[in-house]
Coordinates of all heavy atoms in Angstrom, one line a residue:
Chain A
W236 N 141.8 129.7 83.5 CA 141.9 130.5 84.7 C 141.9 132.0 84.4 O 142.1 132.9 85.2 CB 143.2 130.2 85.5 CG 143.2 128.8 86.1 CD1 142.3 127.8 85.9 CD2 144.3 128.3 86.9 NE1 142.7 126.7 86.6 CE2 143.9 126.9 87.2 CE3 145.5 128.7 87.4 CZ2 144.7 126.1 88.0 CZ3 146.3 127.9 88.2 CH2 145.8 126.6 88.5
K237 N 141.7 132.3 83.1 CA 141.7 133.7 82.6 C 143.0 134.5 83.2 O 142.8 135.6 83.8 CB 140.4 134.4 83.1 CG 139.2 134.0 82.3 CD 138.1 134.9 82.5 CE 136.8 134.6 81.8 NZ 137.0 134.4 80.4
L238 N 144.1 133.9 83.0 CA 145.3 134.5 83.5 C 145.8 135.7 82.7 O 145.6 135.8 81.5 CB 146.4 133.5 83.5 CG 146.2 132.3 84.5 CD1 147.4 131.3 84.5 CD2 146.0 132.8 85.9
P239 N 146.4 136.7 83.3 CA 146.8 138.0 82.7 C 148.2 137.7 81.9 O 149.2 138.1 82.5 CB 147.0 139.0 83.8 CG 147.3 138.1 85.0 CD 146.6 136.8 84.8
I240 N 148.1 137.1 80.8 CA 149.3 136.8 80.1 C 149.1 136.9 78.6 O 148.0 136.7 78.1 CB 149.8 135.3 80.4 CG1 151.1 135.0 79.8 CG2 148.7 134.3 80.1 CD1 151.8 133.8 80.3
V241 N 150.2 137.4 77.9 CA 150.1 137.4 76.4 C 151.2 136.5 75.9 O 152.4 136.6 76.3 CB 150.4 138.9 75.9 CG1 150.3 138.9 74.4 CG2 149.4 139.8 76.5
F242 N 150.8 135.5 75.1 CA 151.8 134.6 74.6 C 152.3 135.1 73.2 O 151.5 135.2 72.3 CB 151.1 133.2 74.4 CG 150.7 132.6 75.6 CD1 149.4 132.6 76.1 CD2 151.6 131.9 76.5 CE1 149.0 132.0 77.3 CE2 151.2 131.3 77.7 CZ 149.9 131.4 78.1
V243 N 153.5 135.5 73.1 CA 154.1 136.1 71.9 C 154.9 135.0 71.2 O 156.0 134.7 71.7 CB 154.9 137.3 72.1 CG1 155.3 137.9 70.8 CG2 154.1 138.4 72.9
M244 N 154.4 134.4 70.2 CA 155.1 133.4 69.5 C 155.9 134.0 68.4 O 155.3 134.6 67.4 CB 154.2 132.3 68.9 CG 154.9 131.2 68.2 SD 153.9 130.4 66.9 CE 152.7 129.6 67.9
E245 N 157.2 134.1 68.5 CA 158.0 134.6 67.4 C 158.3 133.5 66.4 O 159.1 132.6 66.6 CB 159.4 135.1 68.0 CG 159.2 136.3 68.9 CD 160.4 136.6 69.7 OE1 161.3 135.8 69.8 OE2 160.5 137.8 70.3
N246 N 157.5 133.5 65.3 CA 157.6 132.5 64.3 C 158.7 132.9 63.3 O 158.4 133.8 62.5 CB 156.3 132.2 63.7 CG 156.4 131.2 62.6 OD1 157.4 130.6 62.3 ND2 155.2 130.8 62.0
N247 N 159.9 132.3 63.4 CA 160.9 132.6 62.4 C 161.1 131.5 61.4 O 162.1 131.5 60.7 CB 162.2 132.9 63.2 CG 162.8 131.7 63.9 OD1 162.5 130.6 63.5 ND2 163.6 131.9 64.9
S248 N 160.1 130.6 61.3 CA 160.0 129.6 60.2 C 161.0 128.5 60.4 O 161.0 127.6 59.5 CB 160.1 130.2 58.8 OG 159.1 131.2 58.6
Y249 N 161.8 128.5 61.4 CA 162.8 127.5 61.5 C 162.9 127.0 62.9 O 163.1 127.8 63.9 CB 164.2 127.9 61.1 CG 164.4 128.1 59.6 CD1 164.0 129.3 59.0 CD2 164.9 127.1 58.8 CE1 164.1 129.4 57.6 CE2 165.0 127.2 57.4 CZ 164.6 128.4 56.8 OH 164.7 128.5 55.5
S250 N 162.8 125.6 63.1 CA 163.2 125.0 64.4 C 164.7 124.5 64.2 O 164.9 123.5 63.6 CB 162.3 123.8 64.7 OG 161.0 124.3 65.0
V251 N 165.6 125.4 64.6 CA 167.0 125.1 64.3 C 167.2 125.0 62.8 O 167.2 126.0 62.1 CB 167.6 123.9 65.0 CG1 169.1 123.9 64.9 CG2 167.2 124.0 66.5
S252 N 167.3 123.8 62.2 CA 167.5 123.7 60.8 C 166.3 123.0 60.1 O 166.4 122.5 59.0 CB 168.8 123.0 60.5 OG 168.7 121.7 61.1
V253 N 165.2 122.9 60.8 CA 164.0 122.3 60.2 C 163.0 123.4 59.9 O 162.6 124.2 60.8 CB 163.4 121.3 61.2 CG1 162.1 120.6 60.7 CG2 164.4 120.2 61.5
R254 N 162.5 123.3 58.7 CA 161.5 124.4 58.3 C 160.1 124.0 59.0 O 159.8 122.9 59.2 CB 161.3 124.5 56.8 CG 162.6 125.0 56.1 CD 162.3 125.2 54.6 NE 161.3 126.1 54.4 CZ 161.4 127.4 54.1 NH1 162.6 127.8 53.9 NH2 160.4 128.2 53.9
V255 N 159.4 125.1 59.3 CA 158.2 124.9 60.1 C 157.2 124.0 59.4 O 156.5 123.1 60.1 CB 157.6 126.3 60.5 CG1 157.1 127.0 59.3 CG2 156.5 126.1 61.5
E256 N 157.1 124.0 58.1 CA 156.2 123.1 57.5 C 156.6 121.6 57.5 O 155.8 120.7 57.1 CB 155.8 123.6 56.0 CG 157.0 123.6 55.1 CD 157.8 124.9 55.1 OE1 157.6 125.7 56.1 OE2 158.5 125.2 54.1
Q257 N 157.8 121.4 57.9 CA 158.3 120.0 58.0 C 157.9 119.4 59.4 O 158.0 118.2 59.6 CB 159.8 119.9 57.9 CG 160.4 120.3 56.5 CD 161.9 120.2 56.6 OE1 162.5 121.1 57.2 NE2 162.5 119.2 56.0
E258 N 157.5 120.3 60.3 CA 157.3 119.8 61.7 C 156.0 120.2 62.3 O 155.7 119.9 63.4 CB 158.5 120.1 62.6 CG 158.9 121.5 62.7 CD 158.2 122.3 63.7 OE1 157.9 121.8 64.8 OE2 157.9 123.5 63.5
D259 N 155.2 121.0 61.5 CA 154.0 121.5 62.1 C 152.8 121.2 61.2 O 152.9 121.6 60.0 CB 154.1 123.1 62.3 CG 152.9 123.6 63.0 OD1 151.8 123.7 62.4 OD2 153.0 124.0 64.2
A260 N 151.8 120.6 61.7 CA 150.7 120.2 60.8 C 149.9 121.4 60.3 O 149.4 121.3 59.2 CB 149.7 119.3 61.6
N261 N 149.8 122.4 61.0 CA 149.2 123.6 60.5 C 150.0 124.3 59.4 O 149.4 124.6 58.4 CB 148.9 124.7 61.7 CG 148.0 124.2 62.7 OD1 148.3 124.1 63.9 ND2 146.8 123.8 62.3
A262 N 151.2 124.4 59.6 CA 152.1 125.0 58.6 C 152.1 124.2 57.3 O 152.0 124.7 56.2 CB 153.5 125.2 59.1
A263 N 152.1 122.9 57.5 CA 152.1 122.0 56.4 C 150.8 122.2 55.6 O 150.8 122.0 54.4 CB 152.3 120.5 56.8
A264 N 149.7 122.5 56.3 CA 148.5 122.7 55.6 C 148.3 124.2 55.1 O 147.2 124.5 54.7 CB 147.3 122.3 56.5
G265 N 149.3 124.9 55.3 CA 149.3 126.3 54.8 C 148.5 127.3 55.7 O 148.1 128.3 55.3
E266 N 148.4 126.8 57.0 CA 147.7 127.7 57.9 C 148.6 128.4 58.9 O 149.7 127.9 59.1 CB 146.7 126.8 58.8 CG 145.7 126.1 58.0 CD 145.1 124.9 58.8 OE1 145.6 124.6 59.9 OE2 144.1 124.3 58.3

Side-chain angles (χ1 to χ4, degrees):
Chain A
W236 294 4
K237 289 193 178 310
L238 295 180
I240 184 166
V241 181
F242 296 101
V243 183
M244 181 205 292
E245 294 168 342
N246 179 357
N247 65 24
S248 301
Y249 286 84
S250 292
V251 190
S252 60
V253 177
R254 293 185 60 99
V255 65
E256 62 271 18
Q257 293 177 287
E258 53 89 37
D259 185 289
N261 293 121
E266 298 162 354

